[in-house]
Amino acid sequence: MNCLLKLFRLVTLVGAVLLIGAPVGTGLRSQDRQAPPSTPLSVRAGEGVFFEYCAGCHGRRADGRGQQALNLLPKPQNLRNAQFVKYLSSERMYTSISGGVRGTAMPSFEMILSPAKRWNVIHYIRSLTADDTINIPNAVAHQNVTSEMKNPLAAGDDVIATGKRVFLNYCTSCHGPAADGKGVIAPNLVPAPRNLVTIASWGEKPFIDYIPDFRLYDSVTNGVPGTSMLPWIGVLSDAERWSTIAYLRARASEERRKAESKQ
């Protein structure tokens, strides 16, 4: 009887951990797609939500230095970074809060916070950098990327070989040869480069599997403001950028097969 009780407690605990660690859904129903207008009242309400649910990781100043930040990898985002915050669409912020962010400690709040509270906390976060200007000195060119864009290249051996060559020549100093975010200069970068393909924890997929083609292409092409990810539009051709994405997806498939073989 005692053994059965212990087993029940263990199963309950594991189930709770899996529920907390995985997004419950997209968190974006049709009626929630449009952000309500920001008002002084919604900003104040969002501040209360932030201090209750977010400050432990992101810090009371929203600078990514909460009490739990030292125990987390990757570190929580610095939401005082105007370039990064203003780069994010409100829909993307809402989705991250609702469904969590895979490969990070950001959990899903879809079952905890109402849609109104999620939008209020976004209004509060935006208010912190509302008066800050952004400067992207490396953006010598820009390419509009739409959500309909998909990789036009078939992921054959030649394409993957090209992508591997590009990645090893241009990306490994930050993302590392294994694309795990452990490049030689990674310890000096804040926020740290993404672990793109290796599986961070049991039950997860590689981070890149959760990211659609257009998001990856936009990041490689136009850079990610507020991070060390530079725009490569003036350096790499369209084909080279798409080839790199094809190579990373092939590497992620390798990592999934490795993980499956160990089960």
Side-chain angles (χ1 to χ4, degrees), residues 162-175:
T162 297
K164 180 177 181 179
R165 172 182 58 79
V166 173
F167 184 84
L168 294 178
N169 285 342
Y170 294 95
C171 312
T172 55
S173 60
C174 296
H175 289 286

Side-chain angles (χ1 to χ4, degrees), residues 164 167-169 171-185 197-198 247-248 251 255:
K164 180 177 181 179
F167 184 84
L168 294 178
N169 285 342
C171 312
T172 55
S173 60
C174 296
H175 289 286
D180 56 1
K182 298 180 181 179
V184 292
I185 67 172
V197 302
T198 61
Y247 165 68
L248 289 171
R251 280 280 298 108
E255 294 297 327

Side-chain angles (χ1 to χ4, degrees), residues 130-256:
D131 297 328
D132 296 344
T133 58
I134 61 174
N135 179 34
I136 311 175
N138 295 303
V140 293
H142 186 275
Q143 180 177 339
N144 289 328
V145 178
T146 65
S147 59
E148 292 78 24
M149 293 180 70
K150 293 183 179 180
N151 196 335
L153 304 178
D157 292 343
D158 291 345
V159 169
I160 292 173
T162 297
K164 180 177 181 179
R165 172 182 58 79
V166 173
F167 184 84
L168 294 178
N169 285 342
Y170 294 95
C171 312
T172 55
S173 60
C174 296
H175 289 286
D180 56 1
K182 298 180 181 179
V184 292
I185 67 172
N188 303 315
L189 303 179
V190 179
R194 282 284 188 192
N195 168 9
L196 296 169
V197 302
T198 61
I199 297 174
S201 60
W202 179 83
E204 286 286 319
K205 296 188 294 185
F207 174 79
I208 198 173
D209 282 357
Y210 298 100
I211 310 301
D213 281 351
F214 81 91
R215 280 262 308 273
L216 295 168
Y217 185 74
D218 187 29
S219 297
V220 176
T221 300
N222 299 314
V224 181
T227 76
S228 300
M229 183 64 183
L230 302 176
W232 293 96
I233 187 171
V235 181
L236 303 175
S237 68
D238 287 356
E240 287 176 322
R241 281 173 264 146
W242 282 120
S243 295
T244 303
I245 292 170
Y247 165 68
L248 289 171
R249 292 209 183 279
R251 280 280 298 108
S253 295
E254 291 179 9
E255 294 297 327
R256 285 199 307 275

Side-chain angles (χ1 to χ4, degrees), residues 102-119:
R102 295 284 191 173
T104 77
M106 178 71 181
S108 166
F109 285 94
E110 188 173 33
M111 304 298 290
I112 300 173
L113 300 176
S114 68
K117 288 183 177 181
R118 283 174 259 162
W119 282 121

